Amino acid sequence: MSRFFAGDSDSDTESDLSEPEQQQTAANAARLYVLSDDEEEVKRVVRSEKDKRFDDITECVKVLRNSKKIKDVSKVQTDFESLVKSFGKAKSVVEKNGIPRVYIRTLAEMEDFVKELWEDKKKLSKLNAKALSSLRQRIRKYNKDFEDDITKYRETPDDEEDDKVVAAGADDDDDDSDSDAEPVAKAPKVSKPKAPKPARELGSDDDDDYDWGMSDSSSDSEGDEEGEKPMNQYTVEYFLKKAPKGKEASKPKQPKAPRAKAAAAADGDAEGSEWVEAQNRKKQMFRSKEDVTPAAVVTKYNDIMSSRGKKGVDRNDQAELLRQLHKHAEDAELSSAVLIKIGLGIVTCMLDYNTKLSNCMKMELWQSCMDNVNGLLDRMESCSVIVSDGADEEENVEDPEKPLRLRGSFLTLTERLDEEFVKILQNTDAHSTDYVERLRAEGKLYALIERTHQYLLTNNGSNADLCSVSMREIDHLYYKFDEAASSTREDKTAVSKLETLCKFIYSHDVPDRSRTRTLLSHVYYYALHDRFFEARDFLLMSHLQESISHSDVPTQILYNRTLAQLGLCAFRHGMIRDAHTALNDLQSSGRAKELLAQGLLTQRHNERSPEQEKIEKMRLIPFHMHINLELLECVYLASSMLLEIPYMAANEHNLKKRIQSKSFHHQLRQSERQPLVGPPETMREHVVAASHAMKIGDWRGCKDFMLAIKCWDLFRNVDEVKDMLSRKIKEETLRTYLFSYSNVYDSLSLDILREMFELSQSTVHSVVSKMIINEDLHAVLDEPSAVIVTQRAEPTRQQSLALQLSEKVNMMFDINDKLFNARTGDVFYNRQQGRRGDRRGGDRFNKGDRQ
């Protein structure tokens, strides 16, 4: 009968229990009730402030390391800020006890973590990349206060055992011990002899409790042997995590033996033979040295290159096979043509390492390619091997009686190296030392291009190849200032190398694109060397401004760069209107950075797709070719000021005055809206302050504000530019003064104007004469007395306001008349409109007669 039923039928079985067993059962039941009290006593632990603060720091370190494992940079940034806050709360404890070592170690690990991710920043998502930039700046700024501690820690870092302890604590959330603490081994348990169970009395009330606590005899015996407690004697301490025992903790882990060695040791060979590791033997290409013939090597080469570009082919293995083939050919002393053919294949495989166009080669791989190409060129020049891409010509790698000829294009390798070098510079931080170090390789690259050009000239290369390599040379020369060319620009017989290359392309090149790019590079070169008139005439005669919109994007970028450089050249020559005209299209759009391919701007309304963004980034020019954007804007605003301020003074009461520079007027309106205007700080504020000074005729204040701008120092001839700018400020301030205050004077003396503006007599006479001839100034110049006699032909302010009011009333009348006729559907609207126009025209004609 089941024990769950407390009937009389099983009374005989229950009577078999002894009295000691009954006492043991009662003790177990009492121990179960004590469990809750023990648990409450364990929780009531009083900790010091030091332990609380350090435990908070340790917990933050655990969470931070978990976030670092999954490389969630946003979460790492949040956890790092939490760690900094916890450390700030423990400031009082740290001052007494010092900085915890785990905190210094975490800061050092964060530096290494950010440095590692920064190298592979392209693989991160956009959110993580943005968070990484913020985290990098935060850690750099924060770790400055702990530089000495981090340096000391890096000299004596913690052992790996400490890292394992902390890592184990980070994985287990229930472990509350400190990450730096060493595990403490518990004392081994001493098994006590088990007391005999007391006999249970028949008919007692705890029958059910005894039945639930009973277990099988076999399981009881096993539990006694293992030293375990019965189920009803388990307390909270049993379920807590325990440190490893002393013997097990101190016992080091034995490294696993290889399976082959373990099997051999298990077999126990009686002869005592030793185990020999099997070596990875590579497949031999040729059985013997006699088999290495030019035909066999070419066949092997074709087999290897036939797998080029196929899916699943390892390019490193392919290049390694070609290197082995090259070594076999060298050992067999084959002809130079065979070695050059294999060398061309090796360089081709190295250049094919990156499958994506947006990815760039590593600098070490690029240097290796450069060395191989130079070696190939040396061998080709010494052995007179002709490498051409003619499909009709047959290769000759064996017969020494005929000229050695290979099918291929050495120029293509040079062009690919040039393109990869540009990609490397595009993907390098422009403000780092790596960019400067990599830029030094440009000299070697240009020397290689020159050697390729000379090789093509020697071996009668085609005109297309010669024009292509000449264009590559021009791309490396047109933006660089040549002191020799600048010093001899007066000598017409002196012709620079760039001009020679350009003339060759003009006379031999067929495609219009190459000619257009060569022409723009030529104009850029002239403008850079202050040959403004030649550059301007060259550009105007080409009529490129009419068809440039139909050109490709790189050509349009070069056109924008040429216009920018032409505007700077015009400003250096004092041609303010020409400089303003050249820079107006670039600066008025507000996208000069994009138009010059010097960076990408954030778009508000429509965002770029990832593919479009990659394409635009590939078009960006390297940093060392940039034109300073601040200098461009400063020149444009200065030119606008010298043109707009006199025009505004001359047409103060004219409603239909035209605006030449919208961006300049925008800066003026912004300054007028400010309630409090302080001293200028930025470049734009300096130009606005100079404009206000010019309005009132204060040329000294205008000059001081303009010359205080620091970007003028970017010009080579700084003193000449500043002198020109000072002279232009004086002349335009004189014109503004005459426009604004000519109504106040009956006559003005030229000597007084000369002293006021510190100009020469001829300059003042020239400015005043031009104003009178152009009818800008209603006055008469009396040359014997050197006096300007003004004529009051202009209306007063009250008269000009009355004229403006009449014009506005007439405009309002016309608009209302049109709306009324459009609503009523008057069929005679057009006829009445024509009569009204005739009547108004007659009124204006009569009015003109009266005047």
Side-chain angles (χ1 to χ4, degrees):
M1 186 115 183
S2 176
R3 292 184 179 181
F4 289 101
F5 299 97
D8 296 336
S9 59
D10 57 345
S11 60
D12 297 337
T13 307
E14 294 175 355
S15 62
D16 297 338
L17 297 175
S18 59
E19 185 177 356
E21 292 178 350
Q22 296 179 6
Q23 294 178 1
Q24 181 68 22
T25 305
N28 293 340
R31 200 171 295 168
L32 289 174
Y33 289 103
V34 181
L35 179 64
S36 61
D37 296 337
D38 296 340
E39 186 177 2
E40 291 179 359
E41 291 179 1
V42 170
K43 288 184 178 179
R44 294 197 193 101
V45 177
V46 179
R47 296 186 300 169
S48 62
E49 184 181 2
K50 173 185 175 183
D51 296 338
K52 289 181 181 179
R53 299 306 180 189
F54 283 6
D55 288 348
D56 292 343
I57 295 175
T58 307
E59 191 65 28
C60 292
V61 170
K62 295 176 184 177
V63 177
L64 180 61
R65 291 190 178 180
N66 285 335
S67 302
K68 283 162 55 179
K69 288 180 181 178
I70 61 176
K71 294 185 178 181
D72 188 355
V73 186
S74 302
K75 186 69 166 56
V76 169
Q77 185 180 11
T78 306
D79 296 339
F80 181 74
E81 295 297 336
S82 302
L83 177 62
V84 172
K85 289 181 181 178
S86 300
F87 184 77
K89 293 179 181 179
K91 187 176 181 180
S92 58
V93 179
V94 170
E95 291 177 354
K96 297 179 182 178
N97 301 279
I99 303 174
R101 186 171 179 81
V102 65
Y103 190 73
I104 300 299
R105 180 173 60 188
T106 304
L107 295 181
E109 291 175 353
M110 286 298 296
E111 285 185 354
D112 300 337
F113 174 75
V114 170
K115 185 178 180 180
E116 179 182 357
L117 287 186
W118 190 260
E119 295 176 355
D120 299 335
K121 186 179 179 182
K122 299 177 184 176
K123 299 181 181 179
L124 300 177
S125 62
K126 186 177 292 186
L127 183 62
N128 282 340
K130 185 177 180 181
L132 181 63
S133 301
S134 303
L135 181 62
R136 187 188 183 200
Q137 295 178 358
R138 172 65 171 156
I139 290 176
R140 281 184 175 180
K141 184 177 179 181
Y142 186 76
N143 285 11
K144 287 182 180 179
D145 300 334
F146 304 93
E147 286 182 354
D148 298 338
D149 297 329
I150 294 175
T151 305
K152 292 179 181 178
Y153 170 76
R154 291 188 184 279
E155 292 175 357
T156 57
D158 293 344
D159 298 335
E160 296 182 358
E161 296 295 331
D162 298 336
D163 297 337
K164 292 180 181 178
V165 171
V166 177
D171 295 335
D172 189 5
D173 295 337
D174 296 334
D175 188 8
D176 296 329
S177 61
D178 191 4
S179 60
D180 289 333
E182 297 181 356
V184 181
K186 291 186 177 181
K189 294 183 179 179
V190 180
S191 60
K192 297 181 180 179
K194 195 170 184 181
K197 297 181 179 180
R200 187 173 65 89
E201 296 180 358
L202 296 174
S204 60
D205 297 334
D206 56 351
D207 294 341
D208 295 338
D209 296 339
Y210 177 77
D211 293 336
W212 285 102
M214 292 284 291
S215 62
D216 194 9
S217 60
S218 62
S219 62
D220 291 342
S221 61
E222 291 175 1
D224 294 340
E225 291 175 0
E226 296 176 0
E228 294 181 356
K229 297 181 181 181
M231 182 61 67
N232 54 6
Q233 296 185 12
Y234 288 147
T235 60
V236 177
E237 298 178 355
Y238 180 82
F239 296 97
L240 294 177
K241 189 173 181 181
K242 299 178 179 60
K245 295 182 180 181
K247 295 182 179 180
E248 296 178 358
S250 60
K251 185 177 180 181
K253 291 184 178 181
Q254 297 293 336
K256 293 183 179 180
R259 293 185 179 179
K261 292 185 178 181
D267 292 342
D269 192 359
E271 297 179 359
S273 60
E274 296 182 356
W275 181 264
V276 180
E277 295 183 359
Q279 297 180 356
N280 186 13
R281 296 182 179 178
K282 298 181 181 179
K283 186 179 178 180
Q284 295 182 357
M285 291 186 176
F286 303 98
R287 294 182 180 179
S288 62
K289 190 174 181 181
E290 289 75 13
D291 296 338
V292 184
T293 60
V297 170
V298 172
T299 303
K300 284 285 185 181
Y301 172 80
N302 294 331
D303 292 340
I304 296 173
M305 295 302 293
S306 62
S307 61
R308 177 190 174 196
K310 292 184 178 179
K311 188 176 181 181
V313 177
D314 191 354
R315 295 171 183 82
N316 292 329
D317 295 343
Q318 198 174 17
E320 186 62 29
L321 290 175
L322 289 175
R323 291 190 185 95
Q324 294 180 17
L325 186 62
H326 189 274
K327 186 176 181 182
H328 284 298
E330 278 187 341
D331 296 340
E333 297 180 355
L334 298 183
S335 62
S336 300
V338 177
L339 298 177
I340 292 172
K341 186 178 183 64
I342 300 173
L344 291 175
I346 293 173
V347 176
T348 304
C349 291
M350 295 172 70
L351 291 174
D352 291 343
Y353 185 77
N354 292 325
T355 56
K356 296 182 179 180
L357 292 175
S358 57
N359 296 340
C360 66
M361 296 176 63
K362 293 184 178 180
M363 193 61 189
E364 295 78 11
L365 184 61
W366 186 88
Q367 291 281 5
S368 178
C369 284
M370 173 71 72
D371 297 338
N372 289 336
V373 171
N374 281 319
L376 288 174
L377 191 56
D378 293 337
R379 192 183 293 271
M380 290 163 57
E381 291 175 349
S382 60
C383 301
S384 301
V385 179
I386 301 174
V387 180
S388 62
D389 54 353
D392 299 335
E393 299 176 355
E394 295 183 357
E395 289 187 346
N396 178 27
V397 297
E398 301 180 17
D399 191 359
E401 297 179 357
K402 298 180 181 180
L404 299 176
R405 186 179 297 275
L406 294 175
R407 187 179 295 112
S409 178
F410 189 80
L411 176 61
T412 304
L413 300 181
T414 306
E415 291 177 345
R416 284 290 307 276
L417 279 174
D418 191 13
E419 293 171 0
E420 291 295 335
F421 181 71
V422 174
K423 288 183 185 179
I424 290 172
L425 295 180
Q426 288 175 348
N427 291 272
T428 306
D429 186 10
H431 303 286
S432 62
T433 56
D434 294 340
Y435 189 90
V436 179
E437 293 176 358
R438 294 175 181 179
L439 187 59
R440 293 173 182 170
E442 187 187 12
K444 299 179 181 179
L445 179 61
Y446 181 73
L448 175 63
I449 296 174
E450 282 187 322
R451 292 184 62 190
T452 305
H453 191 186
Q454 189 64 33
Y455 173 79
L456 292 175
L457 288 174
T458 305
N459 293 277
N460 299 323
S462 62
N463 289 332
D465 292 345
L466 289 172
C467 292
S468 179
V469 71
S470 299
M471 192 66 218
R472 292 285 172 179
E473 288 189 70
I474 291 173
D475 289 340
H476 286 271
L477 289 176
Y478 79 95
Y479 63 90
K480 296 177 181 177
F481 183 76
D482 189 3
E483 293 287 347
S486 178
S487 60
T488 60
R489 68 175 185 264
E490 301 295 337
D491 187 6
K492 297 182 180 181
T493 59
V495 180
S496 64
K497 184 176 182 179
L498 184 134
E499 293 177 352
T500 305
L501 296 173
C502 291
K503 290 178 181 178
F504 179 82
I505 293 177
Y506 295 151
S507 57
H508 295 86
D509 195 23
V510 177
D512 292 336
R513 181 181 182 275
S514 299
R515 288 189 179 185
T516 303
R517 291 187 61 85
T518 304
L519 175 66
L520 292 174
S521 301
H522 204 171
V523 174
Y524 190 103
Y525 183 80
Y526 280 158
L528 186 65
H529 291 80
D530 290 334
R531 300 164 70 174
F532 172 74
F533 296 103
E534 298 178 25
R536 183 195 62 182
D537 297 342
F538 209 13
L539 184 62
L540 292 177
M541 285 166 45
S542 64
H543 298 284
L544 279 179
Q545 58 272 15
E546 301 173 2
S547 60
I548 193 62
S549 59
H550 303 290
S551 303
D552 56 333
V553 177
T555 306
Q556 293 182 18
I557 291 172
L558 183 57
Y559 177 79
N560 295 334
R561 287 169 52 81
T562 304
L563 280 184
Q565 196 61 244
L566 193 62
L568 294 177
C569 180
F571 184 81
R572 290 194 295 268
H573 281 264
M575 300 175 181
I576 305 302
R577 188 168 296 277
D578 292 334
H580 183 271
T581 304
L583 300 177
N584 189 28
D585 293 337
L586 289 175
Q587 296 295 330
S588 60
S589 62
R591 297 170 49 242
K593 190 175 184 179
E594 280 189 352
L595 294 175
L596 297 174
Q598 297 183 184
L600 299 180
L601 299 177
T602 56
Q603 296 182 353
R604 298 179 180 177
H605 303 291
N606 52 341
E607 294 185 357
R608 305 181 186 89
S609 61
E611 292 78 10
Q612 185 179 1
E613 188 173 357
K614 286 182 180 179
I615 293 173
E616 292 185 1
K617 284 185 177 180
M618 291 175 62
R619 294 171 181 161
L620 299 180
I621 61 175
F623 180 76
H624 67 283
M625 299 172 62
H626 284 192
I627 302 174
N628 192 279
L629 295 176
E630 186 179 4
L631 180 62
L632 276 179
E633 186 178 8
C634 182
V635 169
Y636 175 72
L637 291 178
S639 303
S640 302
M641 179 193 71
L642 295 175
L643 294 176
E644 289 286 345
I645 298 300
Y647 180 79
M648 291 169 61
N651 300 273
E652 184 179 2
H653 307 298
N654 188 6
L655 291 178
K656 298 181 180 180
K657 58 184 178 182
R658 56 185 176 84
I659 297 177
Q660 298 178 358
S661 176
K662 294 182 179 180
S663 59
F664 176 73
H665 282 274
H666 176 71
Q667 298 296 331
L668 290 179
R669 287 193 297 268
Q670 290 291 335
S671 65
E672 291 174 357
R673 292 174 185 174
Q674 294 180 359
L676 180 62
V677 180
E681 296 178 357
T682 63
M683 179 268 299
R684 296 177 181 177
E685 292 177 355
H686 276 85
V687 175
V688 171
S691 302
H692 290 309
M694 182 179 285
K695 279 184 180 180
I696 61 176
D698 184 11
W699 67 270
R700 291 185 178 86
C702 180
K703 175 186 173 183
D704 294 340
F705 284 127
M706 290 301 296
L707 296 184
I709 300 175
K710 296 180 180 179
C711 62
W712 301 123
D713 297 334
L714 298 176
F715 284 115
R716 292 184 305 276
N717 45 355
V718 185
D719 298 332
E720 296 179 7
V721 172
K722 289 184 177 181
D723 293 340
M724 179 274 303
L725 185 61
S726 302
R727 185 178 68 256
K728 289 293 180 181
I729 287 174
K730 293 178 183 179
E731 293 177 1
E732 297 304 324
T733 308
L734 172 60
R735 295 180 71 243
T736 306
Y737 183 82
L738 293 176
F739 282 135
S740 301
Y741 303 108
S742 60
N743 294 331
V744 180
Y745 296 98
D746 292 330
S747 61
L748 284 168
S749 175
L750 294 181
D751 296 333
I752 296 176
L753 293 177
R754 178 176 58 82
E755 294 176 358
M756 286 177 59
F757 294 96
E758 295 183 2
L759 292 171
S760 62
Q761 185 75 19
S762 59
T763 304
V764 175
H765 188 277
S766 174
V767 171
V768 173
S769 300
K770 287 180 181 179
M771 293 178 65
I772 295 174
I773 292 172
N774 297 329
E775 297 183 357
D776 295 335
L777 180 64
H778 297 281
V780 178
L781 179 60
D782 187 9
E783 293 188 0
S785 60
V787 173
I788 304 172
V789 180
T790 60
Q791 298 177 355
R792 300 180 181 273
E794 296 183 359
T796 61
R797 182 171 181 80
Q798 185 178 3
Q799 293 173 348
S800 62
L801 291 176
L803 292 174
Q804 293 176 14
L805 180 61
S806 64
E807 289 289 337
K808 290 183 178 180
V809 169
N810 288 331
M811 291 172 60
M812 189 183 301
F813 175 76
D814 292 341
I815 294 172
N816 290 336
D817 198 5
K818 290 179 182 179
L819 292 175
F820 178 76
N821 290 306
R823 289 184 179 182
T824 56
D826 191 356
V827 295
F828 300 104
Y829 170 71
N830 295 331
R831 185 180 301 174
Q832 293 175 359
Q833 184 70 16
R835 292 176 180 176
R836 186 179 297 110
D838 295 340
R839 184 173 63 253
R840 189 179 299 111
D843 294 343
R844 291 178 179 174
F845 182 78
N846 296 331
K847 180 180 176 181
D849 290 341
R850 288 194 299 269
Q851 289 180 353

